[in-house]
Amino acid sequence: MATAPVIRLGAAVSAAVAVPAVALGAAVKGWPGAYAALLGIGVVVAFFSISKIAVGFVGRRAPHLLLPAALGTYLVKIALLGVLLVSLSGVEAIHLLTLAWTVFAGVFGWIGAEMWVATHTRVPFFDPAAFASRHPAPADPGASARGAAGPGAGR
């Protein structure tokens, strides 16, 4: 899947999610709610963008390492999220429940953007060169019916 369209659309959807999230966070919990919503959207954009860029980089240079790259970025993201949440525990300036709900909404928005890009771009989900080398082009189906003499034989 193309990296740039996913990041652009994901960022746009995240901005669309951020506007009501920040407004709602500010209305319900004041500045801690607004800060939490901004941080939540920032986490979503950073985490999805970094993993897309990293996996795309590996995919272009060493496609056989895509699975380790994807799992490695996932492991790093989860560890960083855990560190972030532990470090924010007890911080009065960030409302953690607002942060959690904003991340939740942002993740679903970003996944929706990825699905839209995947279904609206013409990018093969297989390696055409590898497929062609394993499966030669089918023979002309009419060649066996015409026989060795060719199309004008038998007249």
Side-chain angles (χ1 to χ4, degrees):
M1 184 181 328
T3 302
V6 171
I7 292 175
R8 278 194 306 267
L9 186 59
V13 169
S14 295
V17 169
V19 171
V22 170
L24 188 59
V28 173
K29 292 295 178 181
W31 286 112
Y35 293 146
L38 286 173
L39 179 62
I41 288 296
V43 165
V44 169
V45 170
F47 280 21
F48 276 97
S49 297
I50 289 169
S51 64
K52 272 292 183 195
I53 291 168
V55 171
F57 180 80
V58 170
R60 284 187 297 277
R61 284 160 182 73
H64 61 282
L65 295 175
L66 274 175
L67 182 61
L71 292 175
T73 57
Y74 179 75
L75 179 67
V76 169
K77 290 188 308 184
I78 294 302
L80 288 175
L81 183 60
V83 168
L84 175 70
L85 291 176
V86 167
S87 66
L88 289 176
S89 179
V91 173
E92 298 288 325
I94 300 290
H95 186 250
L96 291 180
L97 190 58
T98 303
L99 173 72
W101 280 109
T102 305
V103 168
F104 185 77
V107 165
F108 276 97
W110 194 287
I111 290 173
E114 285 198 18
M115 287 175 48
W116 192 92
V117 170
T119 58
H120 288 82
T121 55
R122 296 187 59 124
V123 177
F125 288 95
F126 62 93
D127 183 6
F131 184 79
S133 69
R134 291 188 186 139
H135 303 284
D140 182 14
S144 62
R146 288 191 300 264
R155 287 188 195 175

